[in-house]
Amino acid sequence: MTPRRHRWAQHGRIFWTCGYAMRVLTLLLTTLFGLALAAGGAWLLALHGSPFYLLSGLLLLAVAWGLWRHRRWPTWLYAGWLLVLLAWSLWEVGLYWWPLATRLGVPALLGLLMALPAARRSSPRGYTGPAGWPVLLTSLLVAVVAFAGIPRHLHEINGSLPMAIVNADPALGDSPQPDGEWQAYGRSSYGQRYSPLAQITPANVGQLQLAWQMQTGDVRLPQDVGETTYEVTPLKIGNTLYLCTPHSLAFALDADTGKVLWKFDPAAGMEPQRQHQTCRGLSYYSEPAAAATQSDTAATCSSRVFLPSADAKLHALDARTGQHCGDFGNNGVLDLLHNMPFKQAGYYYSTSPPLIAGGKVIVAGAVNDDYAINSPSGVIRAYDVHSGKLLWNWDSGNPSQTAPLDPNNPDQVYTPSSPNSWSVASADEALGLAYFPMGNRTPDQLGMYRSPAEETYASSVVALDIASGQVRWVRQFVHHDLWDMDTPAQPTLLDLDLPQGRVPALVQPTKQGDVYVLDRRDGTPLLPLNERPAPQHVDIPGQRAAPTQPYSALSFAPPRLREADMWGASLIDQMLCRIQFRQLRYDGRYTPPTLQGSLVYPGNFGTFNWGGVAVDPRRQVMFGMPTYLAFVSRLVPKHETGGREMNKGEHGLNENKGADYAVEMTPFMSPIGVPCHVPPWGTVAAADLRTGKIAYQHRNGTIRDLSPVPLPIRIGVPGIGGPLLTSTGVAFLSAATDDNFRAYDLASGKVLWDVRIPAGGQATPMTYLNSQGEQMVLLVAGGHGSTGTKAGDYVLAYKLKK
């Protein structure tokens, strides 16, 4: 053999060997794909699910056998299956990219591989296998149809808000404050998260740049609980910023530079039984004579900040020095465990700033969910803002008796485990009312331990008389709550111009996705609400479900889930999610928890959570971040909990000590750790509060920080945190699970500015003027334990580029 012929022979053997390997790979992938679909499809069919997966698996096994036997029909059969798959996918989900891509992507790629001659070659002397063009053409057709769905996304609403000024001089709070300040968690006790500042506009917001950053040094520790989170919104008074950190440190910073002016450490310690390790903010009070000055000559504690610490203490600190105010409580400290019926370490603490109203500091607290039947009380207490003397206490388990108990008498105790208010409260001092979003009685999923009073006030908003603590009105949003659907967010107050005239209103977002708009004088609905029949199936003794549940006309609640809404990166994990879906009890919204395991959607993460919504009181519109994640709620008999880890946070297995059943709460996830239902899982949305009409809703956030490959694909990711609005129609938000801070056009929801930040931004931003009269936008970025975002300890301040 000549050298040239020898080389050609060598090349031929190499090509044949590569082709053989390609053929083996194609056979292997087709066989494995078929086996997985056949086995899982049989399981799904046994659960009364779709037969498509079983039939597809059997067909793919036939294709693999035909390819192995060098038959000519397998590519025709596969091409036909691709056409059926395409038709079935369009029938189930329509022409939408994300649900189509996961159904069609792997089959189309396998079809393109099968179309390669090398994958079907059976002899080194030439091609004798089946034709490749049928599967090539159908694979390309499938890809084209899937790509045609890219512009379309599920659950999106395109439109624009009415931006006309309805009220040119709206009320922004009970007492005036300079436009450049931020004196309470939501800027004022109205909780609007709205600033009248106007330097930053939709036209120039893209010119924002980092002005300064500082790090508090309070970082997440190995021994921390899972939900150790940075959620603080700083205050700004004078030229000083005040903020707290997850481990209850308080800081005062120079608003121009971020320089630390003072730091206070309450030494709250570590406690593994705390469900949350966070601080959402401080509260500020100033004597009328001291309101205009923060000078060194001001009297000691004439201005003070209140810090709730994680060891259930309330600290009163001099706003100028950070030292304890000795005239308050016990040398500046109140022990909030006084008169508690049970005092387990870590079971009670305040994560939200107290309410300052009517010369009182009004304190509510969080009670651990589902750790024990006998837990601390959810009592709300008002103390004199100067002395710390207890003035009244409202206990939802004993609501008519508001006369203060004696803090020094251990025989006087509040109601165990009564519904608490763990989020932020609001107040209208002109009406003499304080508004508290109420949680549920623990345990959340077991309803047989509740008294009639607890049933009345759980999962509601309650209006208390600031002077006496007596109930003036209550509006409940979930009857006999079995789902941990606490009212999660600060009630937002504004005046609405309606056909009947200007009405003082209260806007309350809920975990279910309903937004209630009420007359804040008496709780009367300003937008329609109604009652609908609710699922009734329960499977443990003593449990019952409420026959009806309330719904609001303004609602961001998602549609009921179907098997077709199950999602994954491929047909296989989508099928596994379908199997999970069929194994769970799901009768729609408000499916009661069961031994079988129930699907809860929206889940207890909430369509809205503590970040709430922001309102523009001039335009009378709202902006928020509806989030969609399903959860699984399962009741576990105590004899089945032996040896399992319990009480590690809200999610996972919690003991319910004293009850016959523990409860297990987990996100509804696929085997590869993504939500089992189709995206988007996070959106931004806006609505006209006068009409209840939703103007737009767009997917929000990318998978850049969630996926192994950092791709900034805007799929719409979950988030927790709140928005900020300015008078110029710019909204700021950084709550999504990608490490980004964004500005949006309020009119359209379009992203105007988008920057990377060094850690998760699951906190609500604020804005202020520095001493040079420049508008600053500030965000704390430190991550969130539940969402798994990057931890940190950053305070970031932005201003317009000069």
Side-chain angles (χ1 to χ4, degrees), residues 133-145:
W133 64 265
V135 74
L136 174 63
L137 293 179
T138 51
S139 296
L140 292 175
L141 173 64
V142 163
V144 167
V145 172

Side-chain angles (χ1 to χ4, degrees), residues 422-739:
W422 55 264
S423 193
V424 186
S426 303
D428 184 335
E429 293 192 57
L431 293 176
L433 294 178
Y435 306 96
F436 286 87
M438 296 299 295
N440 199 5
R441 186 201 195 280
T442 188
D444 286 283
Q445 290 77 18
L446 300 175
M448 62 281 292
Y449 301 100
R450 303 169 189 175
S451 69
E454 292 168 338
E455 292 280 24
T456 299
Y457 296 105
S459 306
S460 68
V461 64
V462 60
L464 301 181
D465 187 287
I466 294 174
S468 67
Q470 289 288 332
V471 176
R472 294 267 286 270
W473 59 262
V474 62
R475 172 66 62 180
Q476 189 169 68
F477 309 121
V478 186
H479 304 320
H480 194 61
D481 185 355
L482 301 174
W483 304 272
D484 188 23
M485 290 298 181
D486 302 340
T487 306
Q490 181 179 25
T492 299
L493 314 183
L494 79 162
D495 297 336
L496 291 180
D497 288 273
L498 301 173
Q500 62 266 40
R502 184 164 291 170
V503 179
L506 178 150
V507 178
Q508 183 63 66
T510 64
K511 286 186 176 182
Q512 308 90 278
D514 292 332
V515 177
Y516 290 85
V517 182
L518 310 173
D519 187 322
R520 66 177 182 267
R521 295 170 296 190
D522 56 15
T524 302
L526 298 177
L527 292 179
L529 60 87
N530 57 63
E531 298 273 334
R532 299 178 191 169
Q536 294 295 291
H537 176 82
V538 295
D539 59 1
I540 61 170
Q543 186 84 298
R544 69 173 181 86
T548 64
Q549 293 289 355
Y551 289 73
S552 173
L554 175 52
S555 181
F556 296 90
R560 176 173 174 158
L561 286 175
R562 311 165 299 155
E563 183 189 316
D565 295 319
M566 298 303 102
W567 195 77
S570 70
L571 269 179
I572 292 175
D573 54 319
Q574 180 198 107
M575 173 187 67
L576 295 175
C577 283
R578 287 180 182 242
I579 291 170
Q580 290 186 64
F581 178 79
R582 288 294 180 180
Q583 288 176 315
L584 297 169
R585 182 87 193 188
Y586 182 60
D587 302 318
R589 184 168 158 182
Y590 298 119
T591 300
T594 56
L595 297 169
Q596 174 186 351
S598 296
L599 192 61
V600 181
Y601 185 63
N604 79 326
F605 195 78
T607 304
F608 296 99
N609 208 292
W610 53 262
V613 299
V615 303
D616 183 329
R618 297 198 307 158
R619 299 177 176 93
Q620 302 182 7
V621 298
M622 60 150 280
F623 180 88
M625 185 192 61
T627 293
Y628 304 106
L629 283 177
F631 271 69
V632 176
S633 177
R634 191 185 313 274
L635 302 177
V636 182
K638 284 296 180 64
H639 67 270
E640 296 181 10
T641 63
R644 295 186 62 185
E645 190 175 59
M646 294 188 288
N647 295 1
K648 293 299 180 182
E650 277 192 74
H651 304 151
L653 183 64
N654 285 330
E655 181 181 8
N656 282 339
K657 184 177 180 179
D660 293 329
Y661 301 91
V663 63
E664 188 171 26
M665 290 286 294
T666 55
F668 183 42
M669 295 289 200
S670 78
I672 63 172
V674 299
C676 254
H677 54 89
V678 67
W681 309 303
T683 64
V684 291
D688 185 333
L689 292 171
R690 293 184 298 154
T691 64
K693 182 180 179 181
I694 297 173
Y696 58 78
Q697 186 166 9
H698 306 308
R699 67 195 189 283
N700 182 60
T702 73
I703 61 170
R704 176 170 181 166
D705 297 301
L706 297 176
S707 62
V709 180
L711 298 174
I713 299 173
R714 189 164 68 99
I715 192 172
V717 295
I720 191 166
L724 158 70
L725 285 181
T726 70
S727 66
T728 57
V730 178
F732 290 92
L733 179 70
S734 178
T737 49
D738 54 1
D739 299 335

Side-chain angles (χ1 to χ4, degrees), residues 77-94:
L77 182 59
Y78 192 85
W81 176 70
L82 281 178
L83 292 176
V84 173
L85 173 64
L86 176 60
W88 172 76
S89 299
L90 290 171
W91 172 72
E92 276 207 325
V93 300

